């Protein structure tokens, strides 16, 4: 994520526009609503403002005003861009902080923001004991997805074009791995007794490329699930998905509460009985699993 920010910062204004056409559309809409001069001034101010790097950290509580679940001196893990920064001191809203369980190091706990997106993807896949699960893309998030799926009782097939990532996936519990795009369909059919995968988690990073999603549809069984957690194109091959009645789902980052200012910034929690696993409770669950 930081590399994307740094790469974007180094681009020219034209380069930024080409990389983020969605933001260009927002700027044009603002021009129509507020006028050209006002919009130009706001854009210049935004582009010149420094951006703190980091969104995941772990450390020791200095003060915990307004957070009853925390005390000074406690070890905690924190999340949130603009909050859990690469800094000596951070101020973090209460719903983005969790205590670190005994036996978990600060270094391990700094994964508290990386683990929940993988956990949320596994929750969206509704994995059950004995399921056959394919993870496409065995980078940082993909390998965590594979480990969590295995912890849920699934047998996991990992697919990536990088041999090093496949070796890591195999070492971390994938029952089978492959880097062969020509043979992967046949391999997954054999892996799943001829049925196809119960769930396919797309954790690849291929901006604008819908190939990983099309492959996921091919690898899933009849009425299987495809869960997208990676940054890929979203053009679903309609006929193939229709004939299999594939359930395509998005996985929203850390889980319920993400992108909600009331939850993340103002500390308003969701009722436990109705939203069992919020962003914060996913952080806690992941660290307990660690």
């Amino acid at each position: 994520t930081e590399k994307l920010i740094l790469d974007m910062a180094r681009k020219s204004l034209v380069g930024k526009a080409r990389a983020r056409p969605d933001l260009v559309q927002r700027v044009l809409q603002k021009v129509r609503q507020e006028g050209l001069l006002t919009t130009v001034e706001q854009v210049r101010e935004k582009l010149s403002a420094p951006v703190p790097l980091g969104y995941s950290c772990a450390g020791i509580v200095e003060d915990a005003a307004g957070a009853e679940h925390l005390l000074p001196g406690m070890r905690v893990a924190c999340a949130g861009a603009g909050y859990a920064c690469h800094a000596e001191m951070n101020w973090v809203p209460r719903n983005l902080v969790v205590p670190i369980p005994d036996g978990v190091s600060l270094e391990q706990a700094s994964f508290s923001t990386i683990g929940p997106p993988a956990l949320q993807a596994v929750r969206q896949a509704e994995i059950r004991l004995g399921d056959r699960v394919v993870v496409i893309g065995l980078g940082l998030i993909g390998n965590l997805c594979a480990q969590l799926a295995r912890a849920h009782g699934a047998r996991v097939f990992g697919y990536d074009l990088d041999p090093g990532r496949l070796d890591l996936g195999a070492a971390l519990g994938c029952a089978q791995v492959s880097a062969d795009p020509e043979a992967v369909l046949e391999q997954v059919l054999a892996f799943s007794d001829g049925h196809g995968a119960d769930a396919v988690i797309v954790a690849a990073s291929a901006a604008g490329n819908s190939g990983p999603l099309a492959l996921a549809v091919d690898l899933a069984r009849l009425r299987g699930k495809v869960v997208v957690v990676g940054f890929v194109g979203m053009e679903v091959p309609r006929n193939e998905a229709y004939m299999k009645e594939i359930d395509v789902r998005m996985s929203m980052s850390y889980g319920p509460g993400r992108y909600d200012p009331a939850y993340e910034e103002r500390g308003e929690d969701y009722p436990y009985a109705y939203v069992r696993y919020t962003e914060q409770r996913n952080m806690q669950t992941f660290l307990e699993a660690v």
Side-chain angles (χ1 to χ4, degrees), residues 17-94:
R18 287 174 175 168
R20 292 296 303 274
D22 57 319
L23 294 182
V24 173
Q25 292 301 319
R26 285 166 58 181
V27 169
L28 294 176
Q29 182 179 359
K30 185 174 282 289
V31 169
R32 290 191 291 267
Q33 293 174 343
E34 301 181 24
L36 179 60
L37 293 179
T38 300
T39 301
V40 169
E41 183 178 341
Q42 290 179 357
V43 169
R44 282 178 176 169
E45 182 178 337
K46 182 71 173 179
L47 291 176
S48 63
V51 177
L53 293 177
Y55 54 88
S56 183
C57 69
I60 310 298
V61 175
E62 289 288 335
D63 182 64
E68 296 79 8
H69 67 302
L70 303 175
L71 293 171
M74 290 179 65
R75 301 183 317 135
V76 293
C78 311
Y83 295 115
C85 304
H86 297 169
E88 293 178 351
M89 185 73 72
N90 285 308
W91 177 88
V92 187
R94 57 179 293 163

Side-chain angles (χ1 to χ4, degrees), residues 157-176:
F157 184 106
Y159 176 74
D160 199 292
L161 300 179
D162 184 333
R165 291 181 173 184
L166 292 181
D167 290 343
L168 181 60
L172 294 175
C174 286
Q176 189 174 338

Side-chain angles (χ1 to χ4, degrees), residues 39-219:
T39 301
V40 169
E41 183 178 341
Q42 290 179 357
V43 169
R44 282 178 176 169
E45 182 178 337
K46 182 71 173 179
L47 291 176
S48 63
V51 177
L53 293 177
Y55 54 88
S56 183
C57 69
I60 310 298
V61 175
E62 289 288 335
D63 182 64
E68 296 79 8
H69 67 302
L70 303 175
L71 293 171
M74 290 179 65
R75 301 183 317 135
V76 293
C78 311
Y83 295 115
C85 304
H86 297 169
E88 293 178 351
M89 185 73 72
N90 285 308
W91 177 88
V92 187
R94 57 179 293 163
N95 282 349
L96 302 181
V97 183
V98 294
I100 299 174
D102 293 338
V104 177
S105 69
L106 289 172
E107 288 79 7
Q108 292 170 324
S110 68
F111 274 72
S112 62
T113 312
I114 300 295
L119 178 57
Q120 180 65 12
V122 170
R123 293 201 193 286
Q124 287 291 80
E126 297 182 341
I127 293 170
R128 297 171 295 184
L129 182 67
D131 278 358
R132 302 297 192 266
V133 174
V134 173
V135 177
I136 297 176
L138 289 177
L140 182 56
I141 298 294
N143 257 305
L144 289 170
C145 286
Q147 292 177 77
L148 288 164
R150 182 169 177 261
H152 277 68
R155 295 192 72 234
V156 181
F157 184 106
Y159 176 74
D160 199 292
L161 300 179
D162 184 333
R165 291 181 173 184
L166 292 181
D167 290 343
L168 181 60
L172 294 175
C174 286
Q176 189 174 338
V177 296
S178 175
D180 189 345
E182 302 298 327
V184 65
L185 177 57
E186 183 178 338
Q187 292 168 340
V188 169
L189 285 174
F191 178 74
S192 59
D193 300 324
H195 299 288
D198 297 292
V200 182
I201 298 175
V202 181
S205 179
N209 183 353
S210 298
L213 181 56
L215 175 61
V217 171
D218 286 341
L219 299 181

